[in-house]
Amino acid sequence: MLNPWASEIWRLFLLVILTLLVGIFTGKLLWVALLATMGYLIWHLVNLVRLEKWLRKGGGSTPPIGNGVWGELYYHIYRMRTRNRKSKRRLADVISRFKESTSALPDAAVVLRASGEIEWFNGAAASYLGLNAPEDIGQRVINLLRNPAFADFLTEGDFQHSLEMPSPVDEAMILEINMVPYGGKYQNLMIARDVTRIKNLENMRKDFVANVSHELRTPLTVLTGTLETISDADDNDTLEKWRRSLGHMQQHNLRMLNIVDDLLMISRLESDDNPHEHYPIPLAAMFSTIYDEAMVLSDKRHDIRLNVAPAISSICLKGDEKELHSAFSNLVANAIRYSPAGGLIEIRCDLNDTAFVFCVKDSGIGIAPHHIQRLTERFYRVDTGRSRIVGGTGLGLAIVKHVLDRYGAHLKITSQVGKGSEFCCYFPAMLITTGTQ
Ligand code: ADP
């Protein structure tokens, strides 16, 4: 292809020669030269107007046809625009794919400019951070998330570490904020993750270890002291004292054993999330055993009644007999422990369309409403002293909850201080079977 500038110079050269010839021939060289220059300028002007018109329309259509250097200019501009449009489309695709994938993220994602204005955020950001589209777009994030720790985090700009703060939507929700600079530090991607469950688990684990040590320390101290007393004794006259000390030792030893047994039960339940062996357990027989045990524990101090619906006598519950027995008898034992002598305790089993229900109702000391939600936590006791006196370990209801969770069952507690409590377990009806197979 001929160099456009060469053809343009040729064009100019021919125009000059033609002007000279016509000028000399007519004897009016100056006028002819002026006319030729004007013609040349008008030609350029026309091309310029065409270019401007084409660009004003967006330059999308095919470019105007031009000669020489103008044709070449139109072609280059057209190619540049086509290339730009393609890469723009590719970029838009990438952005929409990014938006789609981040919208599906369970974590909140917010794109921030370097100055801290919000450019974009996903759906989770609305529920975790309370951001609203479109009014919050363009707002400075520091003005919307008003938390001093968050403000310091942004000002310090040390994004190597994350920040933990409560969600502005729900104080009980703990968020872990991570800031990822990108685009040459001109933009930041802010990720907020709900870590409430992890935090609670962490706290529970810490409390648990502390409680275990605390619970085991007193009995161990008593045992150590008593053993020291025995080993220091140098005459036989202390026999009476020994007997008392040995009694203490036995009592505390038993408590320790109970705690350890309950802890072992919990860790067994925890280490094995799903009960493997589901055998049909004849309910009538199990409740009759539980009733007999309750009578022994109460030692005739309470009026204990067993009220089993007729339908129960012929059905079985599919599960692990040992753990279900442990859950039910824990509830009955609590009713006996926390009811004064002469109290009424009612054990009730019923069956309806959706559930098998086991309830233990007592006329005991009752529980204040603010304790109820925490009763199934390990070592949570309304009155630690009283629980110890009656031989409680603080783990009974934690075991009940663990067992019920394994069967998709749930516990409902209703209570009134001074009047009594009712603990009801609801098992899905699908666990009920009529046969023993
Ligand atoms: P504990 O071994 O101390 O009884 P649990 O986990 O079985 O531990 O129960 C936790 C706490 O719940 C008890 O310490 C007691 O304060 C309260 N509680 C449980 N059952 C009853 C009840 N039937 N009546 C009153 N309080 C109860």
Side-chain angles (χ1 to χ4, degrees), residues 27 59 65 71 73 100 105 110 114 139 180 187 229 242 246 267 271 286 351-352 362-363 366 400 421 425 432:
I65 296 160
L73 212 64
E100 255 170 46
L105 271 182
V110 184
Q139 301 280 339
V180 189
Q187 277 179 316
T229 315
W242 284 14
L246 284 170
S267 70
S271 58
M286 181 158 68
L351 186 67
N352 60 35
D362 64 55
S363 56
V400 173
S421 320
C425 310
I432 294 293

Side-chain angles (χ1 to χ4, degrees), residues 357-368:
V357 192
F358 171 83
C359 291
V360 184
K361 190 173 178 180
D362 64 55
S363 56
I365 56 171
I367 308 154

Side-chain angles (χ1 to χ4, degrees), residues 63-126:
I65 296 160
N67 293 322
V69 80
W70 282 106
E72 201 65 16
L73 212 64
Y74 291 150
Y75 172 68
H76 283 310
I77 293 176
Y78 180 67
R79 253 190 35 184
M80 237 161 68
R81 293 194 71 98
T82 318
R83 226 179 300 138
N84 275 352
R85 216 168 298 128
K86 270 187 192 155
S87 56
K88 226 162 130 185
R89 216 173 297 137
R90 256 201 313 270
L91 207 67
D93 277 350
V94 170
I95 290 173
S96 77
R97 268 207 305 276
F98 165 77
K99 281 185 178 175
E100 255 170 46
S101 51
T102 39
S103 296
L105 271 182
D107 299 341
V110 184
V111 174
L112 299 172
R113 290 190 201 117
S115 46
E117 282 116 349
I118 298 174
E119 217 170 86
W120 177 84
F121 56 84
N122 67 353

Side-chain angles (χ1 to χ4, degrees), residues 35-251:
L35 227 65
T37 313
M38 289 275 287
Y40 189 67
L41 273 179
I42 286 169
W43 178 71
H44 274 301
L45 205 67
V46 167
N47 278 303
L48 216 67
V49 168
R50 274 204 211 143
L51 176 66
E52 190 275 333
K53 246 187 187 168
W54 177 59
L55 288 178
R56 189 151 25 92
K57 280 184 193 158
S61 53
T62 40
I65 296 160
N67 293 322
V69 80
W70 282 106
E72 201 65 16
L73 212 64
Y74 291 150
Y75 172 68
H76 283 310
I77 293 176
Y78 180 67
R79 253 190 35 184
M80 237 161 68
R81 293 194 71 98
T82 318
R83 226 179 300 138
N84 275 352
R85 216 168 298 128
K86 270 187 192 155
S87 56
K88 226 162 130 185
R89 216 173 297 137
R90 256 201 313 270
L91 207 67
D93 277 350
V94 170
I95 290 173
S96 77
R97 268 207 305 276
F98 165 77
K99 281 185 178 175
E100 255 170 46
S101 51
T102 39
S103 296
L105 271 182
D107 299 341
V110 184
V111 174
L112 299 172
R113 290 190 201 117
S115 46
E117 282 116 349
I118 298 174
E119 217 170 86
W120 177 84
F121 56 84
N122 67 353
S127 42
Y128 287 179
L129 303 168
L131 299 181
N132 295 311
E135 56 268 38
D136 290 344
I137 302 284
Q139 301 280 339
R140 296 193 68 205
V141 71
I142 208 161
N143 296 336
L144 298 172
L145 305 181
R146 295 195 157 272
N147 178 303
F150 181 68
D152 290 347
F153 180 64
L154 282 192
T155 324
E156 278 164 24
D158 176 15
F159 300 142
Q160 302 277 7
H161 307 283
S162 55
L163 167 80
E164 268 174 24
M165 67 171 209
S167 154
V169 179
D170 177 4
E171 281 279 308
M173 186 195 286
I174 313 222
L175 297 177
E176 184 190 78
I177 310 279
N178 274 294
M179 203 67 89
V180 189
Y182 72 101
K185 294 205 171 181
Y186 291 115
Q187 277 179 316
N188 285 312
L189 177 65
M190 184 173 120
I191 305 277
R193 177 181 299 169
D194 181 0
V195 290
T196 319
R197 218 175 91 82
I198 297 168
K199 276 272 126 194
N200 286 348
L201 282 174
E202 221 172 88
N203 290 342
M204 265 167 75
R205 188 184 51 77
K206 281 186 204 149
D207 287 351
F208 180 62
V209 175
N211 281 326
V212 168
S213 340
H214 182 73
E215 288 295 326
L216 292 180
R217 201 172 173 277
T218 317
L220 281 174
T221 313
V222 172
L223 279 180
T224 317
T226 313
L227 285 172
E228 268 173 21
T229 315
I230 294 170
S231 61
D232 287 345
D234 53 6
D235 63 286
N236 290 336
D237 297 334
T238 47
L239 189 66
E240 199 49 39
K241 240 164 64 189
W242 284 14
R243 211 168 268 146
R244 271 188 55 217
S245 298
L246 284 170
H248 264 125
M249 278 171 70
Q250 273 176 326
Q251 191 192 337

Side-chain angles (χ1 to χ4, degrees), residues 334 338 362 367 375 380-382 387 392-394 396-397 421 423:
N334 277 351
Y338 299 105
D362 64 55
I367 308 154
L375 289 184
Y380 189 86
R381 287 179 282 208
V382 176
S387 158
T393 60
L397 291 180
S421 320
F423 289 73

Side-chain angles (χ1 to χ4, degrees), residues 262 330-339 360-362 364-367 371 374-384 386-388 390-400 413 415 420-423:
D262 280 356
N330 262 319
L331 294 178
V332 177
N334 277 351
I336 295 170
R337 283 200 204 116
Y338 299 105
S339 295
V360 184
K361 190 173 178 180
D362 64 55
I365 56 171
I367 308 154
H371 290 296
R374 300 195 58 192
L375 289 184
T376 53
E377 285 177 21
R378 291 158 196 195
F379 294 111
Y380 189 86
R381 287 179 282 208
V382 176
D383 179 345
T384 310
R386 187 175 193 135
S387 158
R388 283 199 184 125
V390 296
T393 60
L395 294 167
L397 291 180
I399 292 178
V400 173
I413 307 170
S415 187
S421 320
E422 186 174 38
F423 289 73

